[in-house]
Amino acid sequence: MDLTSLNTIDLPPTADFHCHLREGDMMEFVTPITTGGCDTIFVMPNLEKPIVSVAQALAYHQELSRLAPNVRFLMSLYLHPDVTTDEIELAAKTNIIFGVKLYPAGVTTNSQHGVRDIEQYYPVFAAMQKILEHVSTKDGVDAVKQCGPNVRGTITAHHLWGTIEDAERDVFNFCKPIMKTSDDRLALIRAAIDGSSKFFFGSDSAPHPILSKTENGRAAAGCFTQPWCTSLVIGAFERAMSLGWIRKDVPREAIEGFLSRYGRIFYKIAQPDQEPTSKRSIRLERQGERIPKSIKSSDGTVEVVPFRRDEEETEYEQSDSTRSLQGREPYYFRIETLLNILMDLGKCSANVRIKRPSEAEYKLKLEPQRKKEREESLETLALAGTESFLFLKFFTLV
């Protein structure tokens, strides 16, 4: 399917298998507009008080469904000592809670309650399949490919667009894992359209109040993409075709698989054409419109700046006419640690090797007098910048 020659595309509704909808005023503001062409959204549990119980997850699900009743929200638990095997058995029976998210302590938003001693969770891991979330490097792509059928990876829209240079020049492009090199971006694009079903879409859309990205010299990590996520993915593929990075005859099935079908198969949920309440398709139309510079709640109390704001390369806009959807702690797990877990559990071959990124690969543009900051930045990129989060999906419990 040559995206460069199309003005209109009909696709099955997108399924976003990794999204942050927050809580309180931010949740009330972004959830009604957070569809991005999606009929299914997998919600992350890292709230200020993390979601560690079935009761919490069901209450959160009720709030989100009130705000966006036409979206199916899949819920998750936050890996924590309170998440016992009994709690997982209870969660697996709900048909609402579909996984557990591992957050290394101190690595991202609301991760202070995250994992410090990972071996204590091995009995829990044994009952689950594994997903390497928001893959951001060629090494991560290769690792997922070499692992067995029980290991998958998600890829975001912003990692299909950006590189480290984009994160350097604009705090609203700063995320974790941080965008990497152009070679890494190309590997992600090719993985997303390879048709293997090893990778599917997860936006990792993460809204932050504008001041948390700009005040105190510390930008909160996260890119807000969800309301435009399908357009962003299709736009990234089109740009790659235009520049000759990928062929123009990408099978429609591969694009549909990445955006909609592969994740549903993995999580054993119905396809759109099997859901009586779901629209069979969404329509993307080339209209030349731009993503807004910012969006603000009606009372002006919440303002969020989107990824790729006010840029002309917003190739497509989802048409409403065809759908009814509405302080850093020095504690990180490297991707090597996560792969060792997978290998220990017999899910990944022992010949996977991950290299530490070099300074040259990241092309950091830091002044010489900032030597100490520069060294800290390199360490952060080498650790927090890798695929440092593991998602665990129920699969043996019924």
Side-chain angles (χ1 to χ4, degrees), residues 330-356:
Y331 192 87
Y332 305 97
F333 291 114
R334 294 194 186 191
I335 187 172
E336 293 96 320
T337 303
L338 298 180
L339 291 172
N340 286 338
I341 296 169
L342 297 176
M343 285 186 277
D344 287 346
L345 296 172
K347 306 298 183 184
C348 191
S349 62
N351 63 350
V352 176
R353 294 290 182 268
I354 302 300
K355 66 180 181 180
R356 177 189 172 97

PDB file of all heavy atoms in Angstrom, residues 330-356:
ATOM      1  N   PRO A 330      18.969   7.132  41.116  1.00  0.00           N
ATOM      2  CA  PRO A 330      19.942   6.408  40.286  1.00  0.00           C
ATOM      3  C   PRO A 330      19.751   4.900  40.362  1.00  0.00           C
ATOM      4  O   PRO A 330      20.627   4.163  40.784  1.00  0.00           O
ATOM      5  CB  PRO A 330      21.281   6.826  40.893  1.00  0.00           C
ATOM      6  CG  PRO A 330      20.959   7.031  42.332  1.00  0.00           C
ATOM      7  CD  PRO A 330      19.556   7.597  42.364  1.00  0.00           C
ATOM      8  N   TYR A 331      18.582   4.444  39.950  1.00  0.00           N
ATOM      9  CA  TYR A 331      18.299   3.009  40.053  1.00  0.00           C
ATOM     10  C   TYR A 331      17.572   2.576  38.789  1.00  0.00           C
ATOM     11  O   TYR A 331      16.412   2.908  38.571  1.00  0.00           O
ATOM     12  CB  TYR A 331      17.421   2.733  41.267  1.00  0.00           C
ATOM     13  CG  TYR A 331      17.328   1.269  41.600  1.00  0.00           C
ATOM     14  CD1 TYR A 331      18.278   0.686  42.427  1.00  0.00           C
ATOM     15  CD2 TYR A 331      16.325   0.483  41.084  1.00  0.00           C
ATOM     16  CE1 TYR A 331      18.213  -0.670  42.737  1.00  0.00           C
ATOM     17  CE2 TYR A 331      16.251  -0.864  41.380  1.00  0.00           C
ATOM     18  CZ  TYR A 331      17.199  -1.437  42.209  1.00  0.00           C
ATOM     19  OH  TYR A 331      17.124  -2.771  42.500  1.00  0.00           O
ATOM     20  N   TYR A 332      18.251   1.844  37.941  1.00  0.00           N
ATOM     21  CA  TYR A 332      17.682   1.454  36.667  1.00  0.00           C
ATOM     22  C   TYR A 332      17.996  -0.008  36.384  1.00  0.00           C
ATOM     23  O   TYR A 332      18.996  -0.541  36.844  1.00  0.00           O
ATOM     24  CB  TYR A 332      18.268   2.290  35.518  1.00  0.00           C
ATOM     25  CG  TYR A 332      18.123   3.765  35.712  1.00  0.00           C
ATOM     26  CD1 TYR A 332      19.161   4.526  36.231  1.00  0.00           C
ATOM     27  CD2 TYR A 332      16.927   4.399  35.393  1.00  0.00           C
ATOM     28  CE1 TYR A 332      19.022   5.879  36.414  1.00  0.00           C
ATOM     29  CE2 TYR A 332      16.785   5.761  35.575  1.00  0.00           C
ATOM     30  CZ  TYR A 332      17.827   6.499  36.087  1.00  0.00           C
ATOM     31  OH  TYR A 332      17.686   7.842  36.270  1.00  0.00           O
ATOM     32  N   PHE A 333      17.136  -0.628  35.608  1.00  0.00           N
ATOM     33  CA  PHE A 333      17.429  -1.944  35.060  1.00  0.00           C
ATOM     34  C   PHE A 333      17.803  -1.764  33.607  1.00  0.00           C
ATOM     35  O   PHE A 333      17.049  -1.193  32.841  1.00  0.00           O
ATOM     36  CB  PHE A 333      16.214  -2.871  35.145  1.00  0.00           C
ATOM     37  CG  PHE A 333      15.853  -3.263  36.528  1.00  0.00           C
ATOM     38  CD1 PHE A 333      14.660  -2.845  37.086  1.00  0.00           C
ATOM     39  CD2 PHE A 333      16.708  -4.034  37.276  1.00  0.00           C
ATOM     40  CE1 PHE A 333      14.325  -3.204  38.364  1.00  0.00           C
ATOM     41  CE2 PHE A 333      16.384  -4.408  38.564  1.00  0.00           C
ATOM     42  CZ  PHE A 333      15.184  -3.986  39.116  1.00  0.00           C
ATOM     43  N   ARG A 334      18.938  -2.269  33.219  1.00  0.00           N
ATOM     44  CA  ARG A 334      19.289  -2.242  31.804  1.00  0.00           C
ATOM     45  C   ARG A 334      18.497  -3.302  31.049  1.00  0.00           C
ATOM     46  O   ARG A 334      17.965  -4.239  31.625  1.00  0.00           O
ATOM     47  CB  ARG A 334      20.777  -2.532  31.622  1.00  0.00           C
ATOM     48  CG  ARG A 334      21.670  -1.461  32.188  1.00  0.00           C
ATOM     49  CD  ARG A 334      23.065  -1.664  31.659  1.00  0.00           C
ATOM     50  NE  ARG A 334      23.993  -0.748  32.283  1.00  0.00           N
ATOM     51  CZ  ARG A 334      25.228  -0.574  31.856  1.00  0.00           C
ATOM     52  NH1 ARG A 334      25.671  -1.243  30.824  1.00  0.00           N
ATOM     53  NH2 ARG A 334      26.034   0.278  32.472  1.00  0.00           N
ATOM     54  N   ILE A 335      18.463  -3.155  29.760  1.00  0.00           N
ATOM     55  CA  ILE A 335      17.791  -4.159  28.937  1.00  0.00           C
ATOM     56  C   ILE A 335      18.442  -5.526  29.123  1.00  0.00           C
ATOM     57  O   ILE A 335      17.782  -6.550  29.076  1.00  0.00           O
ATOM     58  CB  ILE A 335      17.792  -3.749  27.452  1.00  0.00           C
ATOM     59  CG1 ILE A 335      16.934  -4.731  26.644  1.00  0.00           C
ATOM     60  CG2 ILE A 335      19.180  -3.655  26.885  1.00  0.00           C
ATOM     61  CD1 ILE A 335      16.723  -4.303  25.215  1.00  0.00           C
ATOM     62  N   GLU A 336      19.775  -5.529  29.418  1.00  0.00           N
ATOM     63  CA  GLU A 336      20.421  -6.812  29.641  1.00  0.00           C
ATOM     64  C   GLU A 336      19.767  -7.550  30.807  1.00  0.00           C
ATOM     65  O   GLU A 336      19.581  -8.759  30.780  1.00  0.00           O
ATOM     66  CB  GLU A 336      21.915  -6.624  29.945  1.00  0.00           C
ATOM     67  CG  GLU A 336      22.723  -6.094  28.785  1.00  0.00           C
ATOM     68  CD  GLU A 336      22.902  -4.588  28.862  1.00  0.00           C
ATOM     69  OE1 GLU A 336      21.936  -3.909  29.241  1.00  0.00           O
ATOM     70  OE2 GLU A 336      23.992  -4.102  28.532  1.00  0.00           O
ATOM     71  N   THR A 337      19.409  -6.826  31.871  1.00  0.00           N
ATOM     72  CA  THR A 337      18.797  -7.441  33.037  1.00  0.00           C
ATOM     73  C   THR A 337      17.467  -8.066  32.667  1.00  0.00           C
ATOM     74  O   THR A 337      17.159  -9.195  33.064  1.00  0.00           O
ATOM     75  CB  THR A 337      18.585  -6.385  34.138  1.00  0.00           C
ATOM     76  OG1 THR A 337      19.841  -5.779  34.445  1.00  0.00           O
ATOM     77  CG2 THR A 337      18.015  -7.027  35.392  1.00  0.00           C
ATOM     78  N   LEU A 338      16.658  -7.335  31.898  1.00  0.00           N
ATOM     79  CA  LEU A 338      15.356  -7.857  31.507  1.00  0.00           C
ATOM     80  C   LEU A 338      15.502  -9.084  30.609  1.00  0.00           C
ATOM     81  O   LEU A 338      14.761 -10.051  30.736  1.00  0.00           O
ATOM     82  CB  LEU A 338      14.556  -6.763  30.805  1.00  0.00           C
ATOM     83  CG  LEU A 338      14.262  -5.539  31.670  1.00  0.00           C
ATOM     84  CD1 LEU A 338      13.465  -4.526  30.872  1.00  0.00           C
ATOM     85  CD2 LEU A 338      13.501  -5.926  32.927  1.00  0.00           C
ATOM     86  N   LEU A 339      16.470  -9.045  29.702  1.00  0.00           N
ATOM     87  CA  LEU A 339      16.669 -10.196  28.834  1.00  0.00           C
ATOM     88  C   LEU A 339      17.167 -11.395  29.628  1.00  0.00           C
ATOM     89  O   LEU A 339      16.824 -12.532  29.327  1.00  0.00           O
ATOM     90  CB  LEU A 339      17.642  -9.835  27.717  1.00  0.00           C
ATOM     91  CG  LEU A 339      17.085  -8.840  26.707  1.00  0.00           C
ATOM     92  CD1 LEU A 339      18.178  -8.393  25.751  1.00  0.00           C
ATOM     93  CD2 LEU A 339      15.925  -9.436  25.936  1.00  0.00           C
ATOM     94  N   ASN A 340      17.977 -11.145  30.653  1.00  0.00           N
ATOM     95  CA  ASN A 340      18.410 -12.246  31.505  1.00  0.00           C
ATOM     96  C   ASN A 340      17.216 -12.908  32.188  1.00  0.00           C
ATOM     97  O   ASN A 340      17.163 -14.129  32.357  1.00  0.00           O
ATOM     98  CB  ASN A 340      19.399 -11.740  32.560  1.00  0.00           C
ATOM     99  CG  ASN A 340      20.760 -11.449  31.966  1.00  0.00           C
ATOM    100  OD1 ASN A 340      21.103 -11.979  30.912  1.00  0.00           O
ATOM    101  ND2 ASN A 340      21.523 -10.604  32.622  1.00  0.00           N
ATOM    102  N   ILE A 341      16.224 -12.064  32.604  1.00  0.00           N
ATOM    103  CA  ILE A 341      15.017 -12.617  33.210  1.00  0.00           C
ATOM    104  C   ILE A 341      14.315 -13.527  32.224  1.00  0.00           C
ATOM    105  O   ILE A 341      13.902 -14.641  32.545  1.00  0.00           O
ATOM    106  CB  ILE A 341      14.070 -11.481  33.643  1.00  0.00           C
ATOM    107  CG1 ILE A 341      14.721 -10.641  34.744  1.00  0.00           C
ATOM    108  CG2 ILE A 341      12.735 -12.039  34.129  1.00  0.00           C
ATOM    109  CD1 ILE A 341      13.980  -9.358  35.025  1.00  0.00           C
ATOM    110  N   LEU A 342      14.165 -13.046  30.985  1.00  0.00           N
ATOM    111  CA  LEU A 342      13.489 -13.840  29.970  1.00  0.00           C
ATOM    112  C   LEU A 342      14.225 -15.144  29.714  1.00  0.00           C
ATOM    113  O   LEU A 342      13.619 -16.203  29.557  1.00  0.00           O
ATOM    114  CB  LEU A 342      13.367 -13.039  28.673  1.00  0.00           C
ATOM    115  CG  LEU A 342      12.525 -11.768  28.758  1.00  0.00           C
ATOM    116  CD1 LEU A 342      12.568 -11.032  27.421  1.00  0.00           C
ATOM    117  CD2 LEU A 342      11.098 -12.085  29.132  1.00  0.00           C
ATOM    118  N   MET A 343      15.555 -15.070  29.683  1.00  0.00           N
ATOM    119  CA  MET A 343      16.334 -16.280  29.451  1.00  0.00           C
ATOM    120  C   MET A 343      16.224 -17.232  30.636  1.00  0.00           C
ATOM    121  O   MET A 343      16.123 -18.437  30.469  1.00  0.00           O
ATOM    122  CB  MET A 343      17.791 -15.914  29.163  1.00  0.00           C
ATOM    123  CG  MET A 343      17.992 -15.333  27.763  1.00  0.00           C
ATOM    124  SD  MET A 343      19.721 -15.038  27.329  1.00  0.00           S
ATOM    125  CE  MET A 343      19.980 -13.450  28.104  1.00  0.00           C
ATOM    126  N   ASP A 344      16.224 -16.675  31.864  1.00  0.00           N
ATOM    127  CA  ASP A 344      16.068 -17.511  33.041  1.00  0.00           C
ATOM    128  C   ASP A 344      14.750 -18.276  33.015  1.00  0.00           C
ATOM    129  O   ASP A 344      14.647 -19.401  33.484  1.00  0.00           O
ATOM    130  CB  ASP A 344      16.120 -16.663  34.315  1.00  0.00           C
ATOM    131  CG  ASP A 344      17.528 -16.170  34.623  1.00  0.00           C
ATOM    132  OD1 ASP A 344      18.472 -16.699  34.015  1.00  0.00           O
ATOM    133  OD2 ASP A 344      17.666 -15.256  35.449  1.00  0.00           O
ATOM    134  N   LEU A 345      13.726 -17.626  32.471  1.00  0.00           N
ATOM    135  CA  LEU A 345      12.411 -18.242  32.416  1.00  0.00           C
ATOM    136  C   LEU A 345      12.211 -19.061  31.153  1.00  0.00           C
ATOM    137  O   LEU A 345      11.120 -19.538  30.880  1.00  0.00           O
ATOM    138  CB  LEU A 345      11.330 -17.158  32.516  1.00  0.00           C
ATOM    139  CG  LEU A 345      11.320 -16.393  33.843  1.00  0.00           C
ATOM    140  CD1 LEU A 345      10.352 -15.221  33.768  1.00  0.00           C
ATOM    141  CD2 LEU A 345      10.921 -17.320  34.985  1.00  0.00           C
ATOM    142  N   GLY A 346      13.266 -19.206  30.355  1.00  0.00           N
ATOM    143  CA  GLY A 346      13.197 -20.041  29.172  1.00  0.00           C
ATOM    144  C   GLY A 346      12.450 -19.440  28.015  1.00  0.00           C
ATOM    145  O   GLY A 346      11.995 -20.146  27.126  1.00  0.00           O
ATOM    146  N   LYS A 347      12.335 -18.104  28.001  1.00  0.00           N
ATOM    147  CA  LYS A 347      11.563 -17.450  26.948  1.00  0.00           C
ATOM    148  C   LYS A 347      12.440 -16.809  25.890  1.00  0.00           C
ATOM    149  O   LYS A 347      11.936 -16.302  24.901  1.00  0.00           O
ATOM    150  CB  LYS A 347      10.660 -16.361  27.554  1.00  0.00           C
ATOM    151  CG  LYS A 347       9.760 -16.859  28.676  1.00  0.00           C
ATOM    152  CD  LYS A 347       8.800 -17.927  28.209  1.00  0.00           C
ATOM    153  CE  LYS A 347       7.864 -18.365  29.319  1.00  0.00           C
ATOM    154  NZ  LYS A 347       6.997 -19.458  28.927  1.00  0.00           N
ATOM    155  N   CYS A 348      13.748 -16.791  26.093  1.00  0.00           N
ATOM    156  CA  CYS A 348      14.608 -16.053  25.177  1.00  0.00           C
ATOM    157  C   CYS A 348      15.911 -16.815  24.996  1.00  0.00           C
ATOM    158  O   CYS A 348      16.440 -17.400  25.943  1.00  0.00           O
ATOM    159  CB  CYS A 348      14.885 -14.658  25.753  1.00  0.00           C
ATOM    160  SG  CYS A 348      15.655 -13.530  24.604  1.00  0.00           S
ATOM    161  N   SER A 349      16.425 -16.836  23.779  1.00  0.00           N
ATOM    162  CA  SER A 349      17.651 -17.574  23.507  1.00  0.00           C
ATOM    163  C   SER A 349      18.850 -16.885  24.134  1.00  0.00           C
ATOM    164  O   SER A 349      18.896 -15.671  24.254  1.00  0.00           O
ATOM    165  CB  SER A 349      17.863 -17.698  21.998  1.00  0.00           C
ATOM    166  OG  SER A 349      18.012 -16.423  21.404  1.00  0.00           O
ATOM    167  N   ALA A 350      19.838 -17.662  24.523  1.00  0.00           N
ATOM    168  CA  ALA A 350      20.985 -17.125  25.244  1.00  0.00           C
ATOM    169  C   ALA A 350      21.960 -16.376  24.352  1.00  0.00           C
ATOM    170  O   ALA A 350      22.905 -15.780  24.841  1.00  0.00           O
ATOM    171  CB  ALA A 350      21.723 -18.259  25.964  1.00  0.00           C
ATOM    172  N   ASN A 351      21.723 -16.369  23.028  1.00  0.00           N
ATOM    173  CA  ASN A 351      22.673 -15.706  22.144  1.00  0.00           C
ATOM    174  C   ASN A 351      22.324 -14.249  21.880  1.00  0.00           C
ATOM    175  O   ASN A 351      22.933 -13.591  21.053  1.00  0.00           O
ATOM    176  CB  ASN A 351      22.774 -16.452  20.804  1.00  0.00           C
ATOM    177  CG  ASN A 351      21.453 -16.452  20.041  1.00  0.00           C
ATOM    178  OD1 ASN A 351      20.435 -16.059  20.580  1.00  0.00           O
ATOM    179  ND2 ASN A 351      21.501 -16.909  18.801  1.00  0.00           N
ATOM    180  N   VAL A 352      21.303 -13.729  22.586  1.00  0.00           N
ATOM    181  CA  VAL A 352      20.977 -12.312  22.440  1.00  0.00           C
ATOM    182  C   VAL A 352      22.060 -11.486  23.118  1.00  0.00           C
ATOM    183  O   VAL A 352      22.435 -11.752  24.256  1.00  0.00           O
ATOM    184  CB  VAL A 352      19.604 -11.998  23.076  1.00  0.00           C
ATOM    185  CG1 VAL A 352      19.325 -10.507  22.999  1.00  0.00           C
ATOM    186  CG2 VAL A 352      18.530 -12.779  22.364  1.00  0.00           C
ATOM    187  N   ARG A 353      22.575 -10.507  22.427  1.00  0.00           N
ATOM    188  CA  ARG A 353      23.604  -9.643  22.993  1.00  0.00           C
ATOM    189  C   ARG A 353      23.210  -8.183  22.775  1.00  0.00           C
ATOM    190  O   ARG A 353      22.792  -7.794  21.695  1.00  0.00           O
ATOM    191  CB  ARG A 353      24.965  -9.906  22.334  1.00  0.00           C
ATOM    192  CG  ARG A 353      25.507 -11.296  22.635  1.00  0.00           C
ATOM    193  CD  ARG A 353      25.921 -11.430  24.100  1.00  0.00           C
ATOM    194  NE  ARG A 353      26.472 -12.734  24.391  1.00  0.00           N
ATOM    195  CZ  ARG A 353      25.758 -13.758  24.827  1.00  0.00           C
ATOM    196  NH1 ARG A 353      24.460 -13.628  25.012  1.00  0.00           N
ATOM    197  NH2 ARG A 353      26.317 -14.926  25.072  1.00  0.00           N
ATOM    198  N   ILE A 354      23.362  -7.377  23.811  1.00  0.00           N
ATOM    199  CA  ILE A 354      23.024  -5.965  23.740  1.00  0.00           C
ATOM    200  C   ILE A 354      24.278  -5.144  24.019  1.00  0.00           C
ATOM    201  O   ILE A 354      24.991  -5.391  24.983  1.00  0.00           O
ATOM    202  CB  ILE A 354      21.948  -5.601  24.783  1.00  0.00           C
ATOM    203  CG1 ILE A 354      20.694  -6.459  24.556  1.00  0.00           C
ATOM    204  CG2 ILE A 354      21.595  -4.124  24.704  1.00  0.00           C
ATOM    205  CD1 ILE A 354      20.066  -6.276  23.197  1.00  0.00           C
ATOM    206  N   LYS A 355      24.557  -4.173  23.178  1.00  0.00           N
ATOM    207  CA  LYS A 355      25.731  -3.339  23.392  1.00  0.00           C
ATOM    208  C   LYS A 355      25.353  -2.059  24.108  1.00  0.00           C
ATOM    209  O   LYS A 355      24.262  -1.536  23.956  1.00  0.00           O
ATOM    210  CB  LYS A 355      26.381  -3.001  22.048  1.00  0.00           C
ATOM    211  CG  LYS A 355      25.513  -2.130  21.143  1.00  0.00           C
ATOM    212  CD  LYS A 355      26.207  -1.819  19.835  1.00  0.00           C
ATOM    213  CE  LYS A 355      25.335  -0.941  18.952  1.00  0.00           C
ATOM    214  NZ  LYS A 355      25.965  -0.619  17.677  1.00  0.00           N
ATOM    215  N   ARG A 356      26.268  -1.540  24.896  1.00  0.00           N
ATOM    216  CA  ARG A 356      26.064  -0.249  25.545  1.00  0.00           C
ATOM    217  C   ARG A 356      26.260   0.843  24.497  1.00  0.00           C
ATOM    218  O   ARG A 356      27.241   0.843  23.767  1.00  0.00           O
ATOM    219  CB  ARG A 356      27.076  -0.060  26.678  1.00  0.00           C
ATOM    220  CG  ARG A 356      26.971   1.303  27.367  1.00  0.00           C
ATOM    221  CD  ARG A 356      28.147   1.486  28.319  1.00  0.00           C
ATOM    222  NE  ARG A 356      28.174   2.838  28.840  1.00  0.00           N
ATOM    223  CZ  ARG A 356      27.665   3.191  30.001  1.00  0.00           C
ATOM    224  NH1 ARG A 356      27.062   2.297  30.741  1.00  0.00           N
ATOM    225  NH2 ARG A 356      27.738   4.446  30.415  1.00  0.00           N
TER     226      ARG A 356
END
